[in-house]
Structures are given as C-alpha cells and as structure tokens.
Amino acid sequence: MSHPLFLSKMDSDIFAPVVDEIERGKRFLVVSHVNPEGDAVGSLLGLALALRGIGKDVVAFLEDEVPDVCRFLPGSGTIVHSLDGVEPVDCTFAVDCGQIERLGEDFVRFNGRGRLVNLDHHKTNDEFGDINIVLPGASAAGEIVYDLLKAARIPINADVATNLYVAIHTDTGSFRYASATPEAFRKAGELVSLGADPWDVSRNVYESYPAKRFEALSMVLSTLETVSEGRIAVLKVTLDMLKKVGGGKDIVDGFVNYARAIKGVEVGVLFRECGPDEYKVSLRSKGNIDVSGVAKSFGGGGHPHASGFNISGEFGEVKQKVLDALRKAIKEGLRS
Ligand code: 5GP
Ligand code: MN
C-alpha cells in the first residue's frame, strides 16, 4: 500500500496481530478509562464505529457518563455504562488507558472479554493486555486507532473521522502541546479531508459550556495560591462548590490549566474533593518537570506534562505531601 500518510512498513507491522484479531473476531468490546475526556471518548467511538462499519458487532462501554462536551460525537448515544447481561466477546480493545483498574469495576468483573488488546500512549502503561500497543510518541490514542484502521484497511467515514479528530485535537490541547507532532497535524489534516469539521468540533467542545462552568471557575480561581517562589500554583475544588453550581465533576475539567498558565509557574496542581478526606489530584507541567513520575509515586500515572492520581487524608496533610514531592521533582529537574 503506498498511501502517502501511511506508516512505514516497520511501524505497520506492529499492528499485524491486532489486524488478525479483527479479521477473526465477530463480537468486540471497546472500553476506555473512568473520568473520560475527548481522547477516551473519541478513540473509543472512532474504533467502535469503524468496526461496526465492516459488519462487526460492537459493544462500546464507559463506566462513567460521557462528558457534556463529547455528547455531540457520532455514536455517543450507543455507549453503555453497565456490562450486566452483555454476552462474551471475541476480543476487547482498551483505548487510552494505562491501568486495567481505570477501565472501571464493571469491566474488571466482566468475564467475557476474550483477547484483550491494549492501545495506548501513556508511558506509565502497565501493559495489561494480551497484545499491547503502547506508543508514548503518539499524541493521542486516537492517533493509534487511526494507524490501526489504516493497517487493517478499514474505511474511515466522516463519523469515524470526527471522533478521531476530536481525540487528537483535545489531547494536543488544540495542537498547542509538545505532542502536536507533524504526524498529529498530518493525521488531523487527513481526518478533516475525510469529513471532520473543525469549526463544528470547536463550537461543540469549546463554545458550548454551560454557564455553571463559569460560576464554578470564579469560585475555583479564588482559591489560587502560588508557592515555591511562584514555581507551583495550586487550585482547589470542593464538593460544596460543585453542589452550589449544580454541576458534576466534569464541569471543572481543564481548570488546572489556569494554574499552569501563570508566568513563572512550572507545575499547576488542582485538588478536587471527591469524598470525605478523598481527593483527585491533577498535575500539569510546562517546564522540564516530568509530573508522571510524581503521579506514579502516589499510585497514579499519565504523561510527562499531564498526570493525575487519587489520594486520601486530611486536606492540609495531603497538600503538604504533594507539594513536597513536587518541590523535590523541581529540584531534581533543575539539577538535570
Ligand atoms: P487529569 O488530570 O485530566 O484527570 O488527567 C491527566 C492525565 O493523567 C490523563 O492522561 C489521565 O489519563 C492521567 N491520569 C489521571 N488520573 C490518573 C490516575 O489516577 N491514574 C493513572 N494511571 N492516570 C491518571
Ligand atoms: Mn489520551
């Protein structure tokens, strides 16, 4: 095959065992992580719709609700949130997820998953699949799904293209991050020529926020503090704030970026209260600090510039522990 955007032969070979699974299987399950965002939903639906397009029977599962901003995605109404009563499948694809537990309790309990294919770009991936395609150089799991569809010669229609475009667009921060490689731009460009509509995507993802997101933002920004000579900026979201604005946890998605956006800040941190003495911590780096190492040391994971984890304890103690770990990482980063 001599498509100009096609992978080199060596790269395409890595998909051969996965292509075999697709050819052999009839029934598939496609799953992604809890707290799903654009790449999780886009890569999951892109793959699910493409497989349905070649006549496969596909169950698309996410433990959590689809975030509001992803509901416009073609196929989003076909996602199920329970695997109760689902018949066994020949093969399961896990996309954009580094740890099996992050696929949700329902999936971990599910006995009928068949061969498990792990398609991911997190360098903290545990390689939990029977087949593992983990490519940290890929900007998004959506890019890997794109490569797989090309390798398997599965057509990409406008609905599939829209999902994969959203996956790449959101995970590269609208093509702003270091992950916005020439490959990411090339693939996004081809997805646009296949029917993804950039303005329609932007309108839905970035220009359709509920007003309560901004009510929450004003409360969250009022918690801003900078520490370590302005190198670390901290934000906090409480359950009380979410209750006041009447929003779910996805209403504050991305707020941590405001902490990182301050001049001089190397790491932005957001603590989101998710229960009594329970916090979800989001880390964003813009210097040479690899926050995935810090997240991993707390049992989480992610990317060098965007990672997260859950932690329990009294807020003051939790914050101290996290800031100590970040200060240490910054010191080590400055030495290297
Ligand atoms: P966020 O801060 O937006 O929740 O997540 C940022 C990045 O870190 C994403 O790539 C996400 O998949 C990863 N991440 C967030 N929380 C966790 C976690 O608890 N465990 C692992 N392994 N990765 C996480
Ligand atoms: Mn991703």
Side-chain angles (χ1 to χ4, degrees):
M1 190 184 211
S2 64
H3 193 289
L5 295 173
F6 198 61
L7 299 158
S8 69
K9 181 159 181 350
M10 201 185 75
D11 286 339
S12 69
D13 280 350
I14 64 169
F15 292 105
V18 188
V19 175
D20 276 355
E21 294 297 331
I22 293 175
E23 281 170 0
R24 264 206 304 268
K26 238 182 94 55
R27 260 178 74 70
F28 293 83
L29 172 63
V30 187
V31 297
S32 189
H33 60 81
V34 293
N35 293 326
E37 19 62 326
D39 189 23
V41 184
S43 56
L44 173 127
L45 285 175
L47 181 56
L49 295 186
L51 291 174
R52 284 178 192 150
I54 55 164
K56 306 290 183 182
D57 186 7
V58 183
V59 177
F61 167 80
L62 284 175
E63 174 117 334
D64 291 342
E65 288 296 306
V66 175
D68 283 346
V69 296
C70 291
R71 296 229 167 124
F72 78 102
L73 283 172
S76 121
T78 70
I79 295 175
V80 298
H81 304 287
S82 162
L83 291 171
D84 284 353
V86 168
E87 295 289 320
V89 297
D90 301 309
C91 173
T92 293
F93 285 99
V95 294
D96 196 36
C97 186
Q99 279 73 36
I100 198 161
E101 303 76 37
R102 277 177 52 77
L103 295 169
E105 287 170 16
D106 225 31
F107 177 74
V108 171
R109 270 197 308 265
F110 182 58
N111 277 327
R113 63 170 80 132
R115 294 268 287 165
L116 181 57
V117 180
N118 171 5
L119 298 180
D120 188 30
H121 69 136
H122 292 89
K123 77 168 199 179
T124 52
N125 192 293
D126 287 348
E127 310 225 325
F128 55 81
D130 299 309
I131 300 174
N132 298 288
I133 310 274
V134 179
L135 304 172
S139 66
E143 233 197 88
I144 305 173
V145 171
Y146 172 102
D147 289 339
L148 169 62
L149 297 181
K150 290 285 177 184
R153 301 181 190 205
I154 297 175
I156 298 179
N157 64 20
D159 286 351
V160 174
T162 300
N163 276 295
L164 299 183
Y165 177 82
V166 164
I168 297 172
H169 194 273
T170 54
D171 248 27
T172 55
S174 309
F175 302 99
R176 284 174 300 145
Y177 300 155
S179 54
T181 59
E183 273 296 279
F185 278 102
R186 268 196 289 274
K187 285 168 193 167
E190 202 203 338
L191 293 168
V192 170
S193 69
L194 290 168
D197 178 340
W199 172 234
D200 189 53
V201 164
S202 299
R203 216 164 26 85
N204 278 289
V205 178
Y206 304 108
E207 316 254 353
S208 301
Y209 292 123
K212 57 192 174 189
R213 176 173 165 93
F214 295 97
E215 289 169 39
L217 181 60
S218 83
M219 289 182 214
V220 176
L221 286 181
S222 73
T223 70
L224 178 71
E225 72 178 302
T226 55
V227 294
S228 283
E229 291 94 42
R231 289 200 176 105
I232 303 174
V234 183
L235 290 170
K236 185 180 178 189
V237 177
T238 63
L239 282 170
D240 198 43
M241 291 174 191
L242 295 179
K243 199 165 146 205
K244 267 193 192 128
V245 301
K249 58 191 177 186
D250 65 299
I251 200 94
V252 298
D253 273 355
F255 283 7
V256 63
N257 292 320
Y258 289 100
R260 179 176 64 180
I262 300 163
K263 190 171 183 177
V265 167
E266 298 196 28
V267 181
V269 191
L270 182 139
F271 293 91
R272 179 171 59 77
E273 186 183 23
C274 38
D277 287 344
E278 289 287 339
Y279 295 88
K280 165 83 212 213
V281 184
S282 289
L283 303 176
R284 296 292 185 275
S285 157
K286 73 171 177 227
N288 55 352
I289 311 308
D290 178 348
V291 286
S292 71
V294 176
K296 205 163 182 190
S297 72
F298 287 102
H303 304 288
H305 289 117
S307 292
F309 58 93
N310 286 77
I311 185 167
S312 18
E314 187 274 319
F315 182 67
E317 283 168 24
V318 160
K319 184 171 145 192
Q320 200 55 48
K321 272 192 214 163
V322 175
L323 291 182
D324 284 348
L326 287 173
R327 285 193 189 100
K328 193 161 158 263
I330 288 175
K331 244 192 222 150
E332 282 163 8
L334 290 178
R335 270 203 305 272
S336 65

